[in-house]
Amino acid sequence: MIKKYTYGNPFFTESVVASFEASEGMPEVGTVNLDDGFSFLYDMKAEDAVYGLGEANRGINKRGYKYISNNTDIPNHHEDVYSLYASHNFIIISGERTFGLYIDYPSSLVFDIGYTKMDELHIFCDKADLDLYVITGESIYDIVKQFRQMIGKSYIAPKFAFGFGQSRWGYKTPEDFAYVVKKYRENHIPIDMVYMDIDYMDHYKDFTINEAFGDFSEYVEELKKENIRLIPIIDAGVKIEEGYDVYEEGVANNYFCKREDGSDFVAAVWPGYTHFPDVLNPEARKWFGGKYKLLTDAGIEGFWNDMNEPAIFYTPEGVCDVKEAMREFIDKDESVDDVWGIRDMVADLANNAKDYASMYHNVNGKMVRHDQVHNLFGYNMTRAAGEALREICPEKRCLLFSRSSYIGMHRYGGIWTGDNKSWWSHILLNLKMLPSLNMCGFLYTGADLGGFGCNTTRDLLLRWLALGVFTPLMRNHACLGTREQECYQFEQIEDFRHIIGVRYRLLPYIYSEYMKAALNDEMMFKPLAFEYPEDRMAVNVEDQLMLGNEIMIAPVYTQNAIGRYVYLPEDMMLVRFKAEGDIEQTEMKKGHHFVEVPLNEVILFIRKGKCIPLADFAECVADINTKKLQLLGYAGSSYQLYDDDGYTRECNLKMSRVIFNN
Amino acid sequence: MIKKYTYGNPFFTESVVASFEASEGMPEVGTVNLDDGFSFLYDMKAEDAVYGLGEANRGINKRGYKYISNNTDIPNHHEDVYSLYASHNFIIISGERTFGLYIDYPSSLVFDIGYTKMDELHIFCDKADLDLYVITGESIYDIVKQFRQMIGKSYIAPKFAFGFGQSRWGYKTPEDFAYVVKKYRENHIPIDMVYMDIDYMDHYKDFTINEAFGDFSEYVEELKKENIRLIPIIDAGVKIEEGYDVYEEGVANNYFCKREDGSDFVAAVWPGYTHFPDVLNPEARKWFGGKYKLLTDAGIEGFWNDMNEPAIFYTPEGVCDVKEAMREFIDKDESVDDVWGIRDMVADLANNAKDYASMYHNVNGKMVRHDQVHNLFGYNMTRAAGEALREICPEKRCLLFSRSSYIGMHRYGGIWTGDNKSWWSHILLNLKMLPSLNMCGFLYTGADLGGFGCNTTRDLLLRWLALGVFTPLMRNHACLGTREQECYQFEQIEDFRHIIGVRYRLLPYIYSEYMKAALNDEMMFKPLAFEYPEDRMAVNVEDQLMLGNEIMIAPVYTQNAIGRYVYLPEDMMLVRFKAEGDIEQTEMKKGHHFVEVPLNEVILFIRKGKCIPLADFAECVADINTKKLQLLGYAGSSYQLYDDDGYTRECNLKMSRVIFNN
């Protein structure tokens, strides 16, 4: 059951598609106080766990920390970080009373989940203008399903997007991209996509291609012949440059975000000074989305939207203040406070709250200050693309994912979890985010495998890939200036071929489970707690996940480990993809196990009485023979396989067939 | 067997006390190349593990990453950090061939341990002026013992220093300190020390007390009546201020580090511009050490030396360059590169290599450029104090520990592992450093419990304290501006009283094992690999340690965990200190176990056939009744207890007695 409570005058975020009558009075759980903004208090019991928040830091169980919904370009995901790139305000409290809460509020919102007081859940924000949904149900999972139905169907990616992709900030010329393709293909490491980071553009101008490419559509076509799709990045900021059509059209039609005085808001990002398309304005959104056609016309079938928190490096106003402060500093006998003051002031130019408070949207003719709707920008930039692509290519799905998001965006695209690091702890963070993202409708998702920032190591990449084998988005991506981390850069390339090869062999299963989750409003990845709520041990597992209805995954995420502990909440079949290609299946009993996992192996666990399909090795998605599948798992079981052409927009579970493991 | 190889003209670091004839020719392991600086290469076997490096990042097994010996004031100990506050150039390669390497070289030195190439150990530095020691022996542990004998006996702390201490940057007045004492005492949480961070001084001037204190010695005496010792910080930089005697004496006698032109080198730290005492100059060292008497005369019995990498916030020369760059920046139409350029330039003022290259020491009349001996500064600052304190208080031990260090300093004081964070991962990092620090002679050591930077949480602090129960230095310390984390700031204070109470009950054992390790050149904390080298599982355990000869520890280091997996390499007795005060002993079999550990319990494992002494609860070290001990563990076993008055400098294992567990 879903009850909606409306406070003040909420901004219409369109995150919820179902409509609900607002209930009167107080919610039956917790205490709402409107004396000073909005505050929701709930006394947690000692054993209560809290799930959700989508892309958020820390555990599967969110208890014991503080989280702030405030979309931020933050490349350093330390344990103490409160805000990441996205705001997904849905949580479930599980315990004596189990219920879900969705707070539809697009500005800064704090979830203090037993951080300040060990047993207190406190949700609060400055303005009491929001919709609160309280969801009760038969189980945690029932609540998730109700929520998912309320927010609408998840985006469905084309099948090629389930292949492996290589990315790196720094690829610039056709030769750069061709080299990557050549190395993967000649080493027989499967791959379907090469991502184009900002340097493919002409001076970072959206919807342009740098001159090195010559005839871009010809180049796109050439790579497609090798079953490689190029996936360009699109940034939020439109370069200010006379003669650049996107800029000129935007200015002429008032499609950019404004300052209070009505002039176009200016912020520096990669191209230098830019304007932001006002994606909260339906007309501007339509216009900006239409620009993607410049690239689809060249044969492009997928995009990633970036910098759409929106990130701001600095504004002219901020720089002006800094220069004034520098003038004073120059004339001073500097003290420690002076030096640190100027240092912090320059560092704080980026993503400064003051700038977000001086930017405006035109929402149906009304000026809305950006900071009051901040968390909707990435959502609506991706919505712009999603809506446009549906018109541009009505006959087929396009790949689309975003860095920043809010619930509602899950209907238009996926997300990657932003600029992580080559840290072992980020493998685990990647795993922990998967179910919470699924709870919020984000199914097409994954992290930068191997880590974006910092220098990776061979073993880190291999272990991370062995998790990435299971995530819909499987991409190796790294930052300019870091160690080169394409799989062919390392010793014993056959290990990489093997691990990514396992992904391609499992792809029919992964695609099938993804599609079922999308079409049935299910979670593809679940915490064990959702499947085995009565098993106290399972409920507390933070480093294993259920994938679909058939398998459990338990990746290794520590360096120099020979294996890891795994808890089996029921009897399961350990499947081991050995480096030489052999597959070993071992029945294991419910309980605790130490499982050895060499660096070049992938393991998974099949639930009792289940089986999964396995294809032959292939080097690209198009070459996977879904007619020729073997089954792994328990004899006498069956599996319902969903499959399709990989691009039709009209998907239906009737397209699935049952296959038997005799 | 120890073989010494001398290359070029090594700087005499005095880290080694034994003398060795230099061997001719190539070492029998690895390949030395002197073509371009110094390079040592060794082909590791797939199964080789590498131990050591003292205070260093990452695992107990150091394989798979890169480490740079370059003492750095670095508060952010991320996984990707190569250098911390200390340089401890001792490693052991364990495998088909097992041997130790000590590279006595006081400047920047790289250990690439299978990072660039998976099987290659590569040690290198710019200048081939160093001593290389190759140590072979019967076992890993035999090599450690030989090394420890070669570098001389470890510092021995007074017994009170094994009590619990509270610290926070921000305590300033007598009232601040008295309040901490009052809250601990009235809540009956055991405590012996309150640490004085920089604000106790008069404008951060070393060896001064701010005026709020009035008669400081009276105040010190007053707290001692409550069995509380104040432990002041001493920073490396001496404030430049006319009329400040330490400054004036230093200038008059040329006791400060110099610029190339012979003027006193100037660097800003907390007091603003300062000079650094030239602790590599024996005369200056003696002078600086003598200053500690100003505080011991007031009754002070312990010190922590800080900022002695030495940290530099900026220099006048650096600021001058920045101001020049600012002038140019102000006149520019700024680009992204301009803004980031100036941002980075200001940020890079701190700990800048250019500054370290323009500072000089007077070593026996010879000017030595600081960057060539950089890693010796903290060592010699602490040596200054240690040598002086031996003269000032010949009759009793003083507490002394340092942030920065080099091997050799272990003879003069302990270390704490610097400015960590309130991160769960730092509990594990704390654990992993303990045995490697012990390998290098550092026995009196510990981390800032609860985390120095960032906001702690109640559960994090409790779990970290439950590890701190076992570390010689047990201190809760936090940074200005973070959440207050004294134990009385949290709910259910009884849990803190209990956990710290367990420390005091175990203190006779911890002190005894520490003393045995110090007097016998043993490790107090060992990786399981050192005790059970034939047990493949034990060899790979990275989150448990052996403590002394009797126990194994296995702290919980993840949030919301109900327990953890523990590997028992032999049958052991699980001892559980329950919150209500009960002690539960359970025999457990060799093998894998999941052990539940509530937040308010401490567990440890006693090895088969062993026992350990346990005192009654006490609120300060002086009140621990070592005559009234019970024994935990296996019936029929015995324990050799070392005990003494806690301050005598002439310690001897003859002072130990055997007690029987009947």
Side-chain angles (χ1 to χ4, degrees):
Chain A
M1 174 143 98
I2 302 175
K3 281 198 158 196
K4 173 182 176 180
Y5 300 86
T6 295
Y7 302 99
N9 297 300
F11 185 88
F12 183 48
T13 68
E14 298 179 68
S15 65
V16 174
V17 293
S19 62
F20 299 88
E21 285 286 308
S23 298
E24 296 297 315
M26 290 288 268
E28 59 177 317
V29 285
T31 311
V32 171
N33 187 307
L34 305 175
D35 290 347
D36 181 22
F38 170 85
S39 160
F40 176 92
L41 278 173
Y42 177 74
D43 285 329
M44 297 184 288
K45 299 277 180 257
E47 294 281 308
D48 284 1
V50 178
Y51 303 103
L53 293 182
E55 183 185 297
N57 209 353
R58 297 237 169 180
I60 290 175
N61 179 359
K62 292 287 176 231
R63 189 156 176 173
Y65 211 60
K66 189 164 77 173
Y67 310 85
I68 303 177
S69 291
N70 181 35
N71 294 359
T72 307
D73 174 16
I74 184 166
N76 300 308
H77 313 162
H78 309 145
E79 283 181 41
D80 57 282
V81 161
Y82 299 130
S83 306
L84 295 174
Y85 305 90
S87 295
H88 302 147
N89 302 332
F90 174 52
I91 58 171
I92 295 179
I93 295 87
S94 166
E96 209 177 73
R97 298 190 71 164
T98 297
F99 58 96
L101 296 173
Y102 176 55
I103 297 95
D104 192 4
Y105 179 73
S107 186
S108 185
L109 177 68
V110 181
F111 290 81
D112 180 331
I113 309 179
Y115 164 79
T116 300
K117 294 186 182 174
M118 58 193 274
D119 290 329
E120 189 176 271
L121 167 65
H122 188 199
I123 306 171
F124 58 98
C125 58
D126 283 348
K127 289 197 155 192
D129 293 314
L130 55 83
D131 288 319
L132 168 68
Y133 296 83
V134 180
I135 312 170
T136 49
E138 287 167 16
S139 66
I140 311 174
Y141 198 55
D142 176 47
I143 292 168
V144 174
K145 286 209 62 164
Q146 290 185 60
F147 179 67
R148 291 281 299 284
Q149 281 156 9
M150 166 181 146
I151 58 172
K153 292 273 179 245
S154 295
Y155 159 79
I156 294 179
K159 200 196 270 184
F160 74 79
F162 292 78
F164 172 75
Q166 181 62 54
S167 187
R168 182 179 177 84
W169 171 17
Y171 300 155
K172 187 165 186 170
T173 66
E175 291 73 28
D176 292 340
F177 295 93
Y179 181 76
V180 174
V181 174
K182 173 175 168 284
K183 293 301 284 185
Y184 271 92
R185 288 285 178 247
E186 81 184 16
N187 282 295
H188 303 290
I189 308 169
I191 187 168
D192 270 85
M193 289 160 288
V194 181
Y195 287 82
M196 309 183 90
D197 208 321
I198 52 174
D199 295 304
Y200 81 88
M201 291 183 267
D202 172 26
H203 294 86
Y204 311 128
K205 283 182 293 200
D206 278 342
F207 313 113
T208 68
I209 310 290
N210 77 50
E211 59 182 12
F213 279 90
D215 185 338
F216 185 58
S217 55
E218 207 169 90
Y219 185 74
V220 171
E221 195 50 41
E222 211 171 283
L223 291 191
K224 271 199 199 170
K225 282 184 196 145
E226 300 203 56
N227 282 302
I228 296 291
R229 285 174 173 86
L230 291 170
I231 312 294
I233 199 169
I234 304 292
D235 277 358
V238 173
K239 189 176 191 338
I240 296 175
E241 186 180 285
E242 298 301 321
Y244 167 39
D245 54 351
V246 184
Y247 159 73
E248 292 192 338
E249 286 173 30
V251 170
N253 295 290
N254 285 309
Y255 286 155
F256 291 127
C257 291
K258 297 289 185 182
R259 296 194 180 104
E260 196 175 10
D261 66 5
S263 62
D264 290 322
F265 179 82
V266 177
V269 272
W270 296 117
Y273 284 122
T274 68
H275 296 318
F276 292 130
D278 186 358
V279 287
L280 269 68
N281 170 355
E283 238 182 281
R285 186 161 69 231
K286 195 174 162 64
W287 163 74
F288 190 75
K291 294 295 163 198
Y292 286 74
K293 191 164 186 301
L294 294 166
L295 291 160
T296 54
D297 282 351
I300 291 298
E301 296 174 59
F303 299 92
W304 45 313
N305 285 342
D306 196 13
M307 302 290 286
N308 52 3
E309 293 71 27
I312 292 179
F313 294 165
Y314 54 87
T315 59
E317 294 82 358
V319 169
C320 184
D321 291 349
V322 160
K323 287 185 171 177
E324 189 50 44
M326 283 177 174
R327 279 189 198 96
E328 282 177 36
F329 176 78
I330 285 169
D331 293 334
K332 265 185 187 165
D333 282 338
E334 65 283 349
S335 70
V336 172
D337 285 345
D338 293 332
V339 175
W340 287 2
I342 199 81
R343 178 196 67 183
D344 292 347
M345 196 173 174
V346 182
D348 289 347
L349 280 172
N351 308 321
N352 195 298
K354 208 169 151 188
D355 292 325
Y356 290 126
S358 53
M359 168 173 158
Y360 288 81
H361 297 278
N362 173 355
V363 181
N364 304 319
K366 201 182 145 208
M367 293 282 271
V368 176
R369 212 172 82 182
H370 175 77
D371 58 351
Q372 293 170 15
V373 292
H374 174 67
N375 297 335
L376 300 179
F377 195 94
Y379 162 16
N380 282 285
M381 179 190 169
T382 299
R383 182 178 172 184
E387 287 174 336
L389 290 168
R390 186 172 280 274
E391 288 189 22
I392 297 164
C393 338
E395 78 292 349
K396 59 178 191 181
R397 303 174 222 155
C398 288
L399 171 58
L400 180 61
F401 61 92
S402 174
R403 190 168 72 183
S404 187
S405 64
Y406 185 83
I407 289 172
M409 203 207 85
H410 68 285
R411 301 191 298 268
Y412 302 98
I415 55 175
W416 93 102
T417 49
D419 298 345
N420 59 9
K421 302 272 191 197
S422 298
W423 294 348
W424 290 86
S425 56
H426 279 187
I427 302 181
L428 191 55
L429 187 61
N430 181 182
L431 177 138
K432 287 175 173 179
M433 280 189 197
L434 291 167
S436 55
L437 287 167
N438 281 194
M439 285 172 72
C440 300
F442 292 93
L443 297 179
Y444 188 80
T445 181
D448 288 343
L449 304 173
F452 177 72
C454 305
N455 295 320
T456 203
T457 57
R458 180 181 183 278
D459 52 354
L460 174 72
L461 179 56
L462 280 168
R463 291 297 196 194
W464 211 334
L465 286 168
L467 166 60
V469 158
F470 302 102
T471 62
L473 169 60
M474 185 190 193
R475 179 173 78 148
N476 175 341
H477 182 40
C479 185
L480 187 74
T482 61
R483 181 178 192 174
E484 291 183 317
Q485 71 183 39
E486 296 84 4
C487 297
Y488 51 79
Q489 305 285 0
F490 298 93
E491 295 146 295
Q492 295 178 14
I493 292 178
E494 61 274 21
D495 291 343
F496 295 89
R497 182 187 312 133
H498 171 64
I499 303 255
I500 298 174
V502 170
R503 159 60 165 239
Y504 280 70
R505 300 195 67 184
L506 285 170
L507 202 140
Y509 177 70
I510 288 162
Y511 183 65
S512 172
E513 290 305 309
Y514 170 87
M515 293 301 284
K516 288 185 214 168
L519 296 170
N520 280 338
D521 302 317
E522 303 270 2
M523 293 169 70
M524 180 174 171
F525 293 97
K526 293 198 235 8
L528 274 59
F530 288 23
E531 290 278 359
Y532 309 94
E534 306 302 321
D535 179 337
R536 183 155 176 273
M537 194 57 62
V539 164
N540 285 286
V541 167
E542 286 267 338
D543 59 359
Q544 306 171 199
L545 293 177
M546 307 309 295
L547 192 178
N549 289 309
E550 286 73 20
I551 74 172
M552 183 177 79
I553 61 169
V556 174
Y557 53 87
T558 55
Q559 194 167 26
N560 294 319
I562 58 171
R564 55 160 290 174
Y565 288 102
V566 179
Y567 175 67
L568 267 52
E570 57 178 315
D571 294 356
M572 291 188 181
M573 180 87 77
L574 165 62
V575 179
R576 183 183 294 280
F577 294 90
K578 304 190 71 156
E580 324 80 63
D582 292 350
I583 298 171
E584 208 176 78
Q585 300 193 60
T586 317
E587 286 198 54
M588 294 178 78
K589 288 284 164 205
K590 171 177 160 59
H592 302 291
H593 299 270
F594 186 88
V595 180
E596 295 213 11
V597 191
L599 254 185
N600 54 9
E601 292 189 1
V602 177
I603 61 160
L604 59 84
F605 298 84
I606 300 180
R607 294 175 71 171
K608 187 157 189 171
K610 310 266 186 190
C611 65
I612 62 167
L614 189 74
D616 287 345
F617 176 86
E619 290 188 36
C620 61
V621 172
D623 284 354
I624 295 172
N625 185 350
T626 57
K627 302 285 174 264
K628 189 185 165 218
L629 299 172
Q630 61 171 296
L631 287 160
L632 300 174
Y634 290 85
S637 57
S638 64
Y639 177 71
Q640 176 150 4
L641 178 78
Y642 173 92
D643 195 25
D644 62 19
D645 57 19
Y647 57 81
T648 181
R649 283 187 184 269
E650 302 312 317
C651 309
N652 193 308
L653 284 178
K654 287 181 189 144
M655 291 150 98
S656 64
R657 61 188 161 105
V658 178
I659 45 181
F660 296 94
N661 191 22
N662 297 312
Chain B
M1 174 145 98
I2 301 174
K3 282 199 153 193
K4 173 181 176 181
Y5 300 86
T6 295
Y7 302 99
N9 297 299
F11 185 87
F12 183 47
T13 68
E14 297 179 69
S15 65
V16 174
V17 294
S19 61
F20 299 88
E21 286 286 310
S23 298
E24 296 296 317
M26 289 290 265
E28 58 177 316
V29 285
T31 312
V32 170
N33 188 307
L34 305 174
D35 291 345
D36 180 20
F38 171 84
S39 159
F40 176 92
L41 278 173
Y42 177 74
D43 285 328
M44 297 184 288
K45 298 279 181 256
E47 296 281 307
D48 284 1
V50 179
Y51 303 103
L53 293 181
E55 183 184 296
N57 209 353
R58 297 238 169 176
I60 290 176
N61 178 0
K62 293 286 177 231
R63 187 154 178 175
Y65 212 60
K66 189 164 78 171
Y67 310 85
I68 304 177
S69 291
N70 181 34
N71 295 358
T72 307
D73 174 15
I74 184 166
N76 300 307
H77 313 161
H78 308 146
E79 283 181 40
D80 56 283
V81 160
Y82 299 130
S83 305
L84 294 174
Y85 305 89
S87 294
H88 302 147
N89 303 332
F90 174 52
I91 59 171
I92 295 179
I93 295 87
S94 166
E96 209 177 76
R97 298 190 71 162
T98 296
F99 58 95
L101 296 174
Y102 176 56
I103 299 94
D104 193 4
Y105 180 72
S107 186
S108 184
L109 177 68
V110 181
F111 290 82
D112 180 332
I113 308 179
Y115 164 79
T116 300
K117 294 187 182 174
M118 57 192 275
D119 291 328
E120 189 176 272
L121 167 66
H122 188 199
I123 306 171
F124 58 97
C125 57
D126 283 349
K127 289 197 154 192
D129 292 315
L130 56 83
D131 288 320
L132 167 69
Y133 297 82
V134 180
I135 313 171
T136 48
E138 287 167 16
S139 66
I140 311 174
Y141 198 56
D142 176 49
I143 292 168
V144 174
K145 286 209 63 162
Q146 290 185 60
F147 179 66
R148 290 280 300 283
Q149 281 155 10
M150 164 181 149
I151 58 173
K153 293 273 178 243
S154 295
Y155 160 78
I156 294 180
K159 200 196 269 184
F160 74 79
F162 291 78
F164 171 75
Q166 180 63 55
S167 186
R168 181 179 176 85
W169 171 18
Y171 300 155
K172 186 164 187 171
T173 66
E175 291 73 29
D176 293 340
F177 294 94
Y179 182 76
V180 174
V181 174
K182 174 175 166 287
K183 295 300 285 183
Y184 271 93
R185 286 288 177 244
E186 80 183 16
N187 282 295
H188 303 289
I189 307 169
I191 187 168
D192 270 84
M193 289 159 285
V194 181
Y195 287 82
M196 310 182 90
D197 208 321
I198 53 174
D199 295 304
Y200 81 90
M201 292 184 264
D202 171 26
H203 293 86
Y204 311 129
K205 284 182 294 202
D206 278 342
F207 313 113
T208 68
I209 311 290
N210 77 51
E211 58 182 11
F213 279 90
D215 185 337
F216 184 58
S217 55
E218 209 169 88
Y219 185 74
V220 170
E221 194 50 43
E222 212 171 284
L223 291 191
K224 271 198 198 168
K225 282 182 196 144
E226 301 203 54
N227 282 301
I228 296 291
R229 285 175 173 86
L230 291 170
I231 312 295
I233 199 169
I234 304 291
D235 277 359
V238 173
K239 188 176 191 341
I240 297 176
E241 184 181 287
E242 298 301 321
Y244 168 38
D245 55 351
V246 184
Y247 160 72
E248 291 191 337
E249 285 174 31
V251 170
N253 295 290
N254 286 310
Y255 286 155
F256 292 127
C257 291
K258 298 287 186 185
R259 296 194 179 103
E260 194 175 10
D261 66 5
S263 62
D264 290 322
F265 178 81
V266 176
V269 271
W270 297 116
Y273 283 122
T274 68
H275 296 319
F276 292 130
D278 186 358
V279 288
L280 269 70
N281 169 355
E283 237 182 282
R285 187 162 68 233
K286 194 174 164 61
W287 162 77
F288 190 77
K291 294 295 164 197
Y292 285 74
K293 191 166 185 301
L294 294 165
L295 291 160
T296 55
D297 282 351
I300 292 297
E301 297 174 58
F303 300 91
W304 45 314
N305 285 342
D306 196 12
M307 302 292 286
N308 52 4
E309 291 71 27
I312 292 179
F313 294 164
Y314 54 88
T315 59
E317 295 82 359
V319 170
C320 185
D321 291 347
V322 161
K323 286 184 173 179
E324 189 52 42
M326 283 179 177
R327 278 188 199 97
E328 281 177 39
F329 176 76
I330 286 169
D331 294 334
K332 263 185 189 166
D333 282 336
E334 65 283 348
S335 69
V336 172
D337 285 347
D338 293 332
V339 175
W340 288 2
I342 198 81
R343 178 196 68 185
D344 292 348
M345 196 173 175
V346 182
D348 289 347
L349 281 171
N351 308 320
N352 194 299
K354 209 169 150 186
D355 292 324
Y356 291 125
S358 53
M359 168 174 158
Y360 288 81
H361 297 277
N362 173 356
V363 181
N364 304 321
K366 201 181 144 209
M367 293 282 271
V368 177
R369 211 173 80 180
H370 174 77
D371 58 351
Q372 292 171 15
V373 291
H374 173 68
N375 297 334
L376 300 179
F377 194 93
Y379 162 17
N380 282 284
M381 178 189 170
T382 300
R383 182 177 174 185
E387 288 174 336
L389 290 168
R390 186 172 277 275
E391 287 190 20
I392 297 165
C393 340
E395 78 293 350
K396 60 179 191 182
R397 303 173 223 155
C398 288
L399 172 57
L400 181 62
F401 61 93
S402 173
R403 190 167 73 183
S404 186
S405 64
Y406 185 84
I407 290 172
M409 203 208 83
H410 69 285
R411 301 191 298 267
Y412 302 98
I415 54 174
W416 92 102
T417 48
D419 298 345
N420 59 9
K421 301 272 190 197
S422 297
W423 293 348
W424 290 87
S425 56
H426 279 186
I427 301 181
L428 190 56
L429 187 61
N430 180 185
L431 177 138
K432 287 176 174 178
M433 280 189 196
L434 290 167
S436 55
L437 286 167
N438 281 194
M439 285 172 71
C440 299
F442 293 93
L443 298 179
Y444 188 80
T445 181
D448 287 345
L449 304 173
F452 176 72
C454 306
N455 295 318
T456 202
T457 57
R458 181 182 183 275
D459 53 353
L460 174 73
L461 178 55
L462 280 169
R463 291 298 196 194
W464 211 332
L465 286 168
L467 167 60
V469 157
F470 301 102
T471 61
L473 169 61
M474 185 191 194
R475 179 173 77 146
N476 176 341
H477 182 39
C479 184
L480 187 72
T482 61
R483 182 180 191 171
E484 292 183 315
Q485 74 183 38
E486 296 84 4
C487 297
Y488 52 78
Q489 305 285 1
F490 299 93
E491 296 146 293
Q492 298 178 12
I493 292 179
E494 63 273 23
D495 290 344
F496 294 90
R497 181 188 311 133
H498 171 64
I499 304 253
I500 298 175
V502 171
R503 161 58 167 242
Y504 280 70
R505 300 195 67 183
L506 285 171
L507 201 140
Y509 177 69
I510 289 164
Y511 184 65
S512 172
E513 289 306 308
Y514 171 88
M515 293 301 286
K516 288 185 213 168
L519 296 169
N520 279 340
D521 302 316
E522 303 271 0
M523 292 168 71
M524 180 173 170
F525 293 98
K526 292 198 234 12
L528 273 60
F530 288 22
E531 288 280 357
Y532 308 94
E534 305 302 322
D535 178 338
R536 182 156 176 273
M537 193 57 62
V539 164
N540 285 285
V541 167
E542 286 267 338
D543 60 359
Q544 306 171 198
L545 293 177
M546 308 308 296
L547 192 177
N549 289 311
E550 286 74 20
I551 75 172
M552 182 176 80
I553 61 170
V556 174
Y557 53 88
T558 55
Q559 193 167 26
N560 294 319
I562 58 171
R564 55 160 289 172
Y565 287 102
V566 179
Y567 176 68
L568 268 52
E570 59 178 313
D571 294 356
M572 291 187 181
M573 180 88 77
L574 164 62
V575 179
R576 183 184 294 280
F577 294 89
K578 303 191 73 156
E580 326 79 63
D582 292 351
I583 297 170
E584 208 176 78
Q585 300 194 59
T586 317
E587 286 198 54
M588 293 178 80
K589 288 285 164 205
K590 171 177 160 56
H592 302 291
H593 299 269
F594 184 89
V595 180
E596 294 213 11
V597 192
L599 255 185
N600 54 10
E601 293 188 359
V602 178
I603 61 161
L604 59 82
F605 299 85
I606 300 180
R607 294 176 69 170
K608 186 158 191 171
K610 310 269 187 186
C611 63
I612 62 168
L614 188 74
D616 288 344
F617 175 87
E619 291 188 37
C620 62
V621 171
D623 285 353
I624 296 172
N625 185 350
T626 57
K627 300 286 173 267
K628 190 185 165 220
L629 298 171
Q630 60 171 297
L631 288 161
L632 298 174
Y634 289 85
S637 57
S638 65
Y639 177 71
Q640 176 149 5
L641 178 78
Y642 173 91
D643 195 24
D644 62 19
D645 57 17
Y647 57 81
T648 181
R649 283 186 182 270
E650 302 312 318
C651 309
N652 194 310
L653 284 178
K654 286 182 191 144
M655 292 150 100
S656 64
R657 61 189 162 104
V658 177
I659 46 181
F660 295 95
N661 190 21
N662 296 315

